[in-house]
Amino acid sequence: MGFSSPSLSSSSIRLTPSEPPCLYTNAKGTKFRYLISMAMPHNPSLCSQLSSAASFGGDSRIYRRRTTGLQLNPLRKPNFRVYASKEEFHFTHKNQGIIVGSAITVVLAVANRVLYKLALVPMKQYPFFLAQVTTFGYVAIYFSILFARYRAGIVTDEMLALPKSRFMIIGILEALGVAAGMASGAMLPGPAIPILNQTFLVWQLILSTLILGRKYSFNQIIGCLLVAAGVVLAVASGSNEGQMLSEVDMIWPALMVASSAFQAGASIIKEFVFIDAARRLKGKPLDIFVVNSFGSGFQALFVLLFLPLLSNLKGISFAELPSYLKSGAACFLNIGANTTGCEGAPLLPLLFISINMAFNISVLSLVKISSAVVSSLATTLAGSLSLSVYICAYSYLSTNIYMHIY
């Protein structure tokens, strides 16, 4: 039933609110919905014209050009994803971050291993000096970055107020790992060292269960036991004549395994620091340079205490240490008259230090967003890719250095 407007004639506009808006479907099945407001005049011939155009395969765009301002917009599928919950959104993006972080860590781990071998070409007489440069040099660099981030407001006072006892444990475990690894590495054949270092993952699984309360699946436990059985088999075969460890006392393989345990313990404590900091900081993520700076600082402190022992393990008496460090610095900078054989320095050592620092940052970032086990798996994967890359890089760089000299 229509009604008349008092200001308009009764025949000018007739509204029929009882009739629903028409729904147009063309020949291809695309639906167009027309929203007709109650305030707009109803045109009863509109639907019939559109329907007849659709039935004969007509194009709605032709009719749009003939009408006055009527827009026909298809119901298109949205180009964004709707998440069921906020937890699903964070879970999906966290997985993407872990994948990207793992890929970056693998690439940097390969580059780190390759550049370390290349850096030892000019520094072949001074590997102990290169190790001390990385240990003590990182302390100054990390704390400089930490100070800059504190001034920028990224690092807060609450982060700096975290208990330092955890960082002290990290430092002493890493220093003990270095000392035990250097002592046993000097007495073990080269092929035995990477085999014994496979226990690093086994120690991580054990310590994460004890410290973090993690639970692992049956397949993961079986894989861990297989790795342990392989290491035990390699060590046990050393008692037979002609085997890899036939002339080595059992204390040295045990010390290398202990070195892996110390390093694994340090990585698990780092993961525990991130988990505990999230509770103390009320969900705010801990900046990785807080962990890197204080952990490296305590590690350098304990390495300094162990320095007489470490130098003796490398065949350098404590009295000869100052002259050794002076000669190592001259070779590192490639200056002075007695630097024969140091070609390639300081470029190759500096490249190694830069990539090694980036690698350490990426590993800790991966620990922060995932776990210490995931970061060690990414590093282990890189070990199988390093040899071929090193051969290609060494061939290329050694050729260029030779052409530059001669």
Side-chain angles (χ1 to χ4, degrees), residues 166-167 170 174 263-276 286 291-292 295-296 299 360 363-364 367-368 372:
R166 286 84 179 270
F167 303 119
I170 292 172
E174 290 183 338
Q263 299 287 350
S267 66
I268 296 299
I269 297 298
K270 290 179 182 178
E271 184 179 354
F272 172 78
V273 168
F274 284 115
I275 296 173
D276 183 67
L286 176 64
V291 182
N292 261 343
S296 299
Q299 179 187 0
N360 290 332
V363 168
L364 194 58
V367 171
K368 178 180 177 180

Side-chain angles (χ1 to χ4, degrees), residues 250-297:
M250 286 297 103
I251 187 175
W252 303 117
L255 197 58
M256 180 60 72
V257 172
S259 172
S260 297
F262 292 137
Q263 299 287 350
S267 66
I268 296 299
I269 297 298
K270 290 179 182 178
E271 184 179 354
F272 172 78
V273 168
F274 284 115
I275 296 173
D276 183 67
R279 178 182 59 84
R280 292 175 178 268
L281 301 176
K282 299 180 180 180
K284 187 175 182 179
L286 176 64
D287 190 80
I288 62 172
F289 285 97
V290 175
V291 182
N292 261 343
S293 300
F294 287 103
S296 299

Side-chain angles (χ1 to χ4, degrees), residues 257-381:
V257 172
S259 172
S260 297
F262 292 137
Q263 299 287 350
S267 66
I268 296 299
I269 297 298
K270 290 179 182 178
E271 184 179 354
F272 172 78
V273 168
F274 284 115
I275 296 173
D276 183 67
R279 178 182 59 84
R280 292 175 178 268
L281 301 176
K282 299 180 180 180
K284 187 175 182 179
L286 176 64
D287 190 80
I288 62 172
F289 285 97
V290 175
V291 182
N292 261 343
S293 300
F294 287 103
S296 299
F298 282 109
Q299 179 187 0
L301 175 62
F302 288 108
V303 167
L304 185 62
L305 296 177
F306 296 153
L307 197 57
L309 173 64
L310 296 176
S311 61
N312 284 324
L313 291 174
K314 286 297 183 179
I316 306 168
S317 64
F318 191 71
E320 298 173 345
L321 187 60
S323 61
Y324 171 85
L325 295 177
K326 182 179 178 180
S327 301
C331 184
F332 182 87
L333 299 174
N334 198 10
I335 56 176
N338 299 322
T339 56
T340 304
C342 298
E343 292 80 9
L347 176 61
L348 292 178
L350 289 177
L351 281 175
F352 161 69
I353 291 174
S354 301
I355 294 299
N356 184 256
M357 180 177 295
F359 168 67
N360 290 332
I361 294 173
S362 69
V363 168
L364 194 58
S365 300
L366 191 57
V367 171
K368 178 180 177 180
I369 64 176
S370 60
S371 66
V373 175
V374 173
S375 66
S376 67
L377 288 174
T379 306
T380 303
L381 175 62

Side-chain angles (χ1 to χ4, degrees), residues 116-155:
Y116 176 68
K117 294 179 182 295
L118 293 175
L120 288 179
V121 174
M123 302 292 295
K124 55 182 176 293
Q125 301 296 329
Y126 305 99
F128 183 72
F129 173 82
L130 183 61
Q132 305 318 306
V133 169
T134 56
T135 299
F136 293 97
Y138 288 173
V139 176
I141 296 175
Y142 282 145
F143 272 100
S144 299
I145 297 174
L146 179 65
F147 178 74
R149 293 172 75 84
Y150 177 75
R151 293 291 299 271
I154 301 173
V155 176

Side-chain angles (χ1 to χ4, degrees), residues 214-231:
R214 290 269 169 81
K215 295 182 179 180
Y216 296 96
S217 65
F218 178 76
N219 293 334
Q220 292 171 325
I221 296 175
I222 291 298
C224 177
L225 293 177
L226 289 176
V227 172
V231 174

